[in-house]
Every structure is written in C-alpha cells, then in structure tokens.
Amino acid sequence: MKIKHASNNIDDMERQRAESTFTIISKVKNSPNVNTAVKWLTSNKLLIFILVSVVFGVILGLILRPLNLSSDTITLISYPGDLFLRTLKLMVLPFIISCLIIGAANLDISKNGNVAVRTIVYFVLTSVFNVCLGLTLGLLVHPGSPDLRLPNATSFSGPKKMNVMDGFLDMGKNLLPENLFQATIQQTLTEYETVMGENNTKTLKKVVKYKDGTNTLGIIFFCLIFGTVLGTMGERKRPVLNFFTVTYEVMQKILTGVIWFTPIGVASVICGKIITLAELTTTLVQLSLFIATTVGGFLFYQLIVIQVIYFVIIKKSPWPYYVSLGPALATAFATASKSASLPITFKVLDEKLKMNPKITKFVLPIGTINMDGSALYLSVALLFLAQINNLQLGIGEIFTIGLACTAASMSSAAIPSAAIVLVVMLCSVINIPTEDVSLLFAVDWLVDRFRTMNNLIGDCYTVAIVQHLSKEELEQDDQKEAEEAHVNGTFVMQEQEQNAQTNQSFSTNTPV
C-alpha cells in the first residue's frame, strides 16, 4: 500500500510539473513581447533572408578569393545573380510606362498640378543640398593627397569634356526624343572628339551622338504627357486606363514569384564581385579616407538629414517607415542599381506601407532626376581629384563645381555608364586630368552601393512627404471618384433594369 501511495504521489508530482511547464509555455507564447517579435519576424522575413544572403555572399567571396578559381567557375557562381538582375531590369520599362500613365491619369495633373510642382521642387532642393554637403565634407576632411596620384596612370576611356550648358542641352534633347521606340534603347549624348586641323593642330569638336542605354527621361516625359491628357477625357479614358492597370497588375504578379529568388541572386552578385576584385585590400587602404568621406556623407544624409526632414514635415517618427523599406534598400545595395530595385520598391510602398498608389505611380518613375547620392558623390570626387593634383580652388571654382554636379546628377539618365563616367566628363569643368579617375574606379564597386541606397531612399521619402503635403487634393480626388462611381453604378443599374424590361416585353409579344 505504501508503494502504491508513493507511486501515486510521484504521478501527481509529474502531472503538476507538466501542467506548470505547459502553463509557462502558454504564458510565454501569449505574452505581448513574444507576439510582437513573431509578428515582426513574419512581416520582415524577406528582409531577414536578404540580409543573411548579403553576409553569406561576402563570407563565401572572401573564402573563395585565395583559391584562384577559373573564369568558368566564377561565371557559374555569378550566373544566378546575373539572371536575377536581368529579370528585374526586364520589368523596369513596363513598370515605368504603366505606372506613370495610371498615376498621371488618375491624379489628373491638370487639376492637381501642385503635386507635380511639390515633387520637382523637392527633388531639386535635395539635390542641391547633397551637392553642398559633398563640397563641405570634401573641403573639411580633405581626402585627397598628392601622394595618391598614380605615377603611370593611363587615360580613362569616356567622354573627354563636358560643360554645364552641354548637360542641360542633353537633358532637353533626351526629354524630347525624336523616336519613342529609339528612346527605349538609345540616348542622346554630346561628346568632344579630337580632330586634326590646319598645320596638324589638334582641336576638340562637339559631336551629338546616340549611345546605347534606355532614354528614361524621354519615356517618362512622354508618359506624363500621355497620362495627363488621358486623365482629361472623362469616361472615354476607361478602356485605355484599364489596359495599363491590368498591365501593372500582371507585372506585380510576376514580381511576386521573382521576389523570393532575391536572396539567391543577391548572394551570387556579391560573391562574384568580391572574387573578381583585384588588389582588394590595397585599394581599400589607399583610398580609405575618400571612402570614409563619401560613405560617411551618405550615412549622415540617410540616417539623420532625411529622417529630420520626415519628422519636421510629417510630425511622426521616421524609423518605422525607414525599417519597412529594408527589402528595397537591401536590393539596391546588392545590385547597385536603382532601376533594378524599382519593382521591389513598388511592392514595399504599395503593399506593406500602404502608400497612396496615385503618388507612388507618379513619383517613383520620375525619380530618375532625383539622384541625391550621385550629387554628393560627384562633388566629393571632383574635390578629391583636385586635391591629389594639388589644385588651389577659389570660390568661383567651387561654385562652378556645385552647379555642374547638380546639373550632371539630374541629367544622369543621359549617361550610359553611371556616375564614374560623369566624373570623367566633369573633370574638364576645372581642368582636372582624367587619368586619375582610375583611382576612383578601383573602389567604385563599394561606394556605388551606398550611393544607390541614397538615390533610392530619396525617392521613397519623397513619396511620403508629397503624399502628406497633398493630403487635401488626394481626399478631394477620392471623394470625386466615389461620387462618379456612385453615379455610374446607378446608371448601370438603371440600364440593366431597362434592358430586363425590354427583354421581358419582347418575350411576351413574341408569338410561339
């Protein structure tokens, strides 16, 4: 009996222990902190996967670098990333066209021109601010030293000269392309070619050429005009608008499938890039001050300036908005392409942050002229090149650099080879030798990723700020659309009832 009683006591103790353990687990699972953490991990799983893939790509690249892999092996490692980038870039043009036409037509810019004005003014002001920030950092930090100059530098291939007027003229030419289909594959660019004159003297001749690369400015301008006129055509616009709306929805569905390949593509791109870099450590050490100046400027603008602007204008904490942009920013960092990350940016802003589609479809595509990161980079790069050549710059030269960098950054869509080619063109503004640009090219693969993040985040915050400032116009538009939908619905119901009565009368009067 004692043994049986002891056994029962042990069973009771085990039962109580199990019940207490179950109670503790239930409390932990149902606690607000755990629920919040699980909810955050679930809603940000794509961001977590992308960040893990970035770290994995860096570590794998550093491990494989000393193995001296063959070119075929490196090609295979980079191949998934190459396919991923090609897929994203393939979707950019349909996204831009459908978004701009839908946005301009629904926004009805003829009645809501303030939205367009706010967007353009904000773009210009932030570009000017970043140029001034770059000039300030370049003058205070002084990242350039004559000791860095390459003794046997070779000329960097690219356009030989640029002036401010050429930049603005090229922008106008690309804004109004001669052929819309040509604009999808070529851009207009003014170059200076060396020609032999009399007495065998060499002179530079200005030549307007077509270069490979999508003329995004021309496509954007045409779509804005097309969408604006379409928005003024009343009910006749519905069939055309429905076509572009369906096109946009189809691209979104395609993106839903593609987006889950992002971690694989990101890891492949970064790993392949690190493997192929020559003299990685040496170039990072030599140009560490230049990298610190540019990247420090990018982070200062991204983490402080833009957050303060958001807080002052919208009067809300900017950090939830910033964290939610994680997948788009991580893709921009990995691909170093704002265009490639555009589809994912749309998905984040429309579906996750619930921004007004009228604003996102209008602001994001025209973000081509909003290159905050490029504006800062160009000004620091020109000062760096001037410093390593020991050039003394006065107020006039610094003002000229600022004006040229602002124009170049906003017309960068006319340049097929990104900011490094813009640097080559801008060297002629203050007569800097182009040979030293090869120094910047050695670290551009790293700086370009932070530069692209700033370019993208400028567009995303423009969406939030313009939407807040245009709140009244958007509410009036929504109210008007609701009234039109009610009227159209009533008209359709009356028409259906009339048709039903006609059919009934017809069937009654028809002999059998």
Side-chain angles (χ1 to χ4, degrees):
M1 292 295 293
K2 290 182 177 180
I3 295 174
K4 186 175 181 180
H5 182 70
S7 177
N8 291 336
N9 288 338
I10 293 173
D11 291 341
D12 291 340
M13 291 174 63
E14 290 181 351
R15 191 180 300 108
Q16 290 176 1
R17 188 181 298 112
E19 289 177 356
S20 62
T21 303
F22 177 77
T23 303
I24 293 172
I25 293 174
S26 299
K27 288 182 178 179
V28 171
K29 289 178 65 177
N30 296 324
S31 66
N33 292 334
V34 172
N35 288 336
T36 302
V38 171
K39 185 177 179 181
W40 186 88
L41 290 173
T42 303
S43 60
N44 292 278
K45 54 187 175 182
L46 179 61
L47 171 61
I48 295 171
F49 289 153
I50 294 176
L51 293 177
V52 170
S53 67
V54 170
V55 175
F56 176 76
V58 171
I59 295 174
L60 184 61
L62 294 175
I63 292 174
L64 296 178
R65 270 181 65 84
L67 301 182
N68 296 322
L69 301 176
S70 65
S71 59
D72 290 340
T73 304
I74 296 174
T75 300
L76 291 175
I77 292 174
S78 305
Y79 189 65
D82 184 42
L83 292 181
F84 174 69
L85 286 177
R86 293 171 72 90
T87 304
L88 289 179
K89 290 178 180 179
L90 174 67
M91 301 171 66
V92 169
L93 201 56
F95 255 112
I96 289 178
I97 293 174
S98 59
C99 288
L100 272 178
I101 291 177
I102 294 170
N106 286 332
L107 199 60
D108 196 353
I109 300 178
S110 61
K111 298 178 181 178
N112 296 302
N114 289 336
V115 175
V117 172
R118 291 184 187 112
T119 302
I120 300 301
V121 169
Y122 183 82
F123 283 171
V124 173
L125 291 178
T126 53
S127 295
V128 171
F129 176 85
N130 275 276
V131 168
C132 294
L133 177 61
L135 291 174
T136 303
L137 290 173
L139 292 172
L140 291 178
V141 179
H142 203 283
S145 169
D147 297 335
L148 290 174
R149 198 173 191 279
L150 298 177
N152 297 315
T154 56
S155 179
F156 190 89
S157 59
K160 300 186 184 328
K161 186 179 179 182
M162 176 185 178
N163 57 47
V164 177
M165 186 181 70
D166 288 336
F168 281 111
L169 294 180
D170 284 344
M171 187 187 301
K173 293 170 186 173
N174 283 296
L175 207 61
L176 295 169
E178 295 177 341
N179 187 306
L180 187 62
F181 295 99
Q182 185 186 29
T184 61
I185 58 174
Q186 286 186 327
Q187 312 162 347
T188 303
L189 178 66
T190 300
E191 291 187 1
Y192 286 79
E193 294 183 347
T194 303
V195 295
M196 298 298 296
E198 298 179 357
N199 301 324
N200 292 326
T201 57
K202 294 182 179 181
T203 58
L204 290 177
K205 181 181 179 182
K206 184 187 297 188
V207 180
V208 178
K209 293 184 175 181
Y210 288 103
K211 291 291 185 179
D212 291 337
T214 304
N215 179 9
T216 314
L217 275 179
I219 294 173
I220 285 174
F221 185 73
F222 175 81
C223 291
L224 279 177
I225 299 299
F226 186 90
T228 301
V229 176
L230 181 66
T232 62
M233 300 189 69
E235 285 303 310
R236 289 184 295 169
K237 71 181 180 183
R238 290 299 168 192
V240 179
L241 196 56
N242 288 339
F243 169 78
F244 286 106
T245 302
V246 171
T247 301
Y248 175 76
E249 292 174 355
V250 168
M251 300 308 299
Q252 284 280 47
K253 288 186 178 293
I254 295 174
L255 176 62
T256 303
V258 173
I259 197 171
W260 291 109
F261 289 95
T262 304
I264 299 174
V266 164
S268 174
V269 169
I270 292 181
C271 180
K273 189 65 179 179
I274 290 178
I275 293 174
T276 54
L277 287 173
E279 300 180 0
L280 177 63
T281 306
T282 304
T283 54
L284 289 178
V285 171
Q286 288 180 338
L287 300 178
S288 57
L289 196 55
F290 173 76
I291 296 172
T293 304
T294 52
V295 174
F298 295 148
L299 295 178
F300 175 75
Y301 180 75
Q302 183 179 145
L303 299 177
I304 297 178
V305 175
I306 197 73
Q307 312 301 342
V308 171
I309 294 174
Y310 184 98
F311 178 77
V312 170
I313 295 178
I314 301 182
K315 296 179 175 58
K316 290 182 180 179
S317 173
W319 299 113
Y321 185 82
Y322 178 76
V323 172
S324 298
L325 297 174
L329 294 177
T331 305
F333 179 84
T335 61
S337 171
K338 187 167 79 167
S339 296
S341 59
L342 184 62
I344 295 177
T345 306
F346 268 110
K347 189 174 183 66
V348 171
L349 290 177
D350 289 343
E351 298 182 10
K352 190 172 183 179
L353 290 169
K354 306 299 181 184
M355 304 304 290
N356 193 312
K358 294 179 182 178
I359 300 297
T360 58
K361 290 181 177 63
F362 177 78
V363 173
L364 290 182
I366 66 172
T368 303
I369 63 173
N370 183 39
M371 296 293 186
D372 294 335
S374 297
L376 189 151
Y377 171 80
L378 290 174
S379 54
V380 175
L382 283 185
L383 287 181
F384 171 80
L385 293 175
Q387 289 163 2
I388 67 174
N389 284 278
N390 206 21
L391 296 179
Q392 301 298 320
L393 301 176
I395 298 297
E397 287 84 358
I398 293 174
F399 179 79
T400 302
I401 290 175
L403 183 61
C405 289
T406 303
S409 67
M410 299 192 70
S411 63
S412 58
I415 306 300
S417 300
I420 197 69
V421 177
L422 286 175
V423 176
V424 179
M425 298 174 67
L426 289 170
C427 283
S428 61
V429 173
I430 52 175
N431 297 319
I432 301 174
T434 60
E435 290 81 4
D436 299 319
V437 177
S438 55
L439 270 173
L440 301 180
F441 186 75
V443 295
D444 190 65
W445 62 273
L446 175 62
V447 176
D448 189 26
R449 300 177 188 280
F450 291 94
R451 182 170 67 228
T452 305
M453 288 177 66
N454 267 33
N455 290 337
L456 179 64
I457 201 172
D459 295 349
C460 295
Y461 274 70
T462 303
V463 170
I465 290 169
V466 171
Q467 177 174 316
H468 178 77
L469 296 177
S470 308
K471 190 175 181 180
E472 294 183 3
E473 289 96 329
L474 294 174
E475 289 177 351
Q476 291 174 1
D477 272 0
D478 292 340
Q479 184 177 0
K480 181 181 177 182
E481 289 178 1
E483 293 174 354
E484 290 179 353
H486 177 71
V487 172
N488 292 335
T490 304
F491 177 77
V492 170
M493 290 179 62
Q494 291 176 351
E495 189 177 8
Q496 289 176 347
E497 292 175 358
Q498 185 177 0
N499 290 338
Q501 292 175 0
T502 303
N503 292 335
Q504 185 177 2
S505 175
F506 178 78
S507 61
T508 302
N509 297 328
T510 301
V512 179

